[in-house]
Amino acid sequence: MGDHTTNDELFDERKPLLYTPATFDDPAAERRHRQERLAAAFRLFGRFGFGEGVAGHITVRDPEFDDRFWLNPFGMDFRLIRTSDLVCVDHEGRIVHGDHAINQAAFAIHSQVHAARPDVVAAAHTHSVHGKAFSSLGRLLDPITQDACAFYGDHVLFDDFTGVVLDPMEGKRIAAALGDHKAAILRNHGLLTVGHSVDEAAWWFITMERTCQAQLLAMAAGDPISIDADAAALTQTQVGGHFAGWFSFQPLHEVIVREQPDLLD
């Protein structure tokens, strides 16, 4: 996963940015921050229609215990999730905080991604409509738009489907296929994105879903023209880095918190 930040030309350095990442000395304060961002991400996923019955999950690593992560309770609609509803599970599958069961597919996939990638703070996977439609094509995204270039050379195809992922060994295969990239297209299944924050992982999922939609529309209309390799690679450094992903999520976060402050309960 590329270690780029926003390109200097994208903003005026003479003025402060509207948002800057929070820093913490206290694990408890950082935990609360991650939990609030996670609840907000779920509310946004619900607003965008990414829910599909009881499928879908976002996880965030606990800042104090590396072998634990927080996620949504099994069966709760994304549009209802509050910070207090979140469940914490360790890499053995034991629930260490929370009153509800978790989705076993979430554990099987995310535990292995978090174990394989110490840099990954958060991961997102749902059965969004355009993501799962595109996944059936068994191909990568083409760099046909500026936004698509965020994934240029930084996403993979997991070219297999063996049923619902309930075995951690299958999750290990997905993690191995993901490698050091920011996203994976799980064939006949959907999308998986990761990031150095909940904000980043959630934004990559949102924009990847839209990118799938844009390519499906373009392919239905005709023969899309791809951006040439050099320009696509340059654009990836401008819009595909960790800070760019984090920053792009901030306006959405501010809107959902102002409109639905109960998510912080």
Side-chain angles (χ1 to χ4, degrees):
M1 189 164 61
D3 195 22
H4 307 294
T5 57
T6 50
N7 187 286
D8 290 345
E9 298 175 356
L10 298 184
F11 60 91
D12 184 351
E13 290 186 318
R14 294 171 298 179
K15 301 290 185 180
L17 287 172
L18 188 59
Y19 309 102
T20 54
T23 57
F24 300 92
D25 295 322
D26 177 17
E30 185 169 8
R31 178 180 298 111
R32 177 67 188 185
H33 175 81
R34 292 185 182 187
Q35 291 169 336
E36 291 178 352
R37 296 288 164 145
L38 185 57
F42 281 122
R43 292 292 182 97
L44 287 165
F45 276 29
R47 170 169 289 185
F48 295 144
F50 294 168
E52 183 73 16
V54 299
H57 15 86
I58 313 172
T59 57
V60 63
R61 192 188 301 272
D62 188 87
E64 186 174 6
F65 304 101
D66 286 344
D67 65 339
R68 299 179 183 180
F69 56 90
W70 295 82
L71 72 163
N72 46 313
F74 186 48
M76 183 172 288
D77 192 285
F78 292 165
R79 295 169 292 183
L80 301 177
I81 294 175
R82 302 166 300 171
T83 300
S84 58
D85 295 317
L86 299 172
V87 179
C88 185
V89 62
D90 66 19
H91 283 190
E92 300 301 318
R94 294 182 293 259
I95 293 176
V96 296
H97 179 89
D99 300 322
H100 303 287
I102 63 165
N103 187 323
Q104 287 304 305
F107 171 74
I109 297 173
H110 290 248
S111 64
Q112 300 307 308
V113 170
H114 282 293
R117 291 281 300 276
D119 65 306
V120 166
V121 171
H125 165 67
T126 80
H127 297 178
S128 54
V129 172
H130 301 100
K132 63 184 177 183
F134 192 88
S135 77
S136 71
L137 302 177
R139 59 178 293 174
L140 294 174
L141 290 162
D142 295 326
I144 61 173
T145 67
Q146 174 176 299
D147 296 328
C149 289
F151 300 98
Y152 185 72
D154 204 11
H155 73 298
V156 300
L157 174 67
F158 180 68
D159 195 14
D160 196 7
F161 180 80
T162 59
V164 178
V165 181
L166 299 176
D167 185 347
M169 290 305 297
E170 186 73 359
K172 186 171 290 188
R173 292 178 61 226
I174 292 172
L178 177 66
D180 63 355
H181 299 90
K182 69 157 66 79
I185 296 172
L186 312 180
R187 200 197 73 205
N188 303 110
H189 191 172
L191 310 177
L192 171 71
T193 60
V194 300
H196 287 185
S197 62
V198 172
D199 313 58
E200 184 189 354
W203 172 251
W204 294 141
F205 193 96
I206 292 166
T207 193
M208 193 176 196
E209 163 70 9
R210 291 172 172 171
T211 297
C212 289
Q213 181 181 11
Q215 184 162 337
L216 289 168
L217 288 169
M219 291 168 62
D223 187 13
I225 298 172
S226 289
I227 297 167
D228 72 75
D230 289 343
L234 172 62
T235 307
Q236 198 281 334
T237 69
Q238 297 169 325
V239 302
H242 302 303
F243 182 81
W246 176 88
F247 192 82
S248 296
F249 182 77
Q250 302 316 303
L252 294 173
H253 176 265
E254 186 153 334
V255 167
I256 202 69
V257 170
R258 288 193 187 190
E259 292 182 353
Q260 301 180 24
D262 67 295
L263 71 88
L264 302 176
D265 293 344

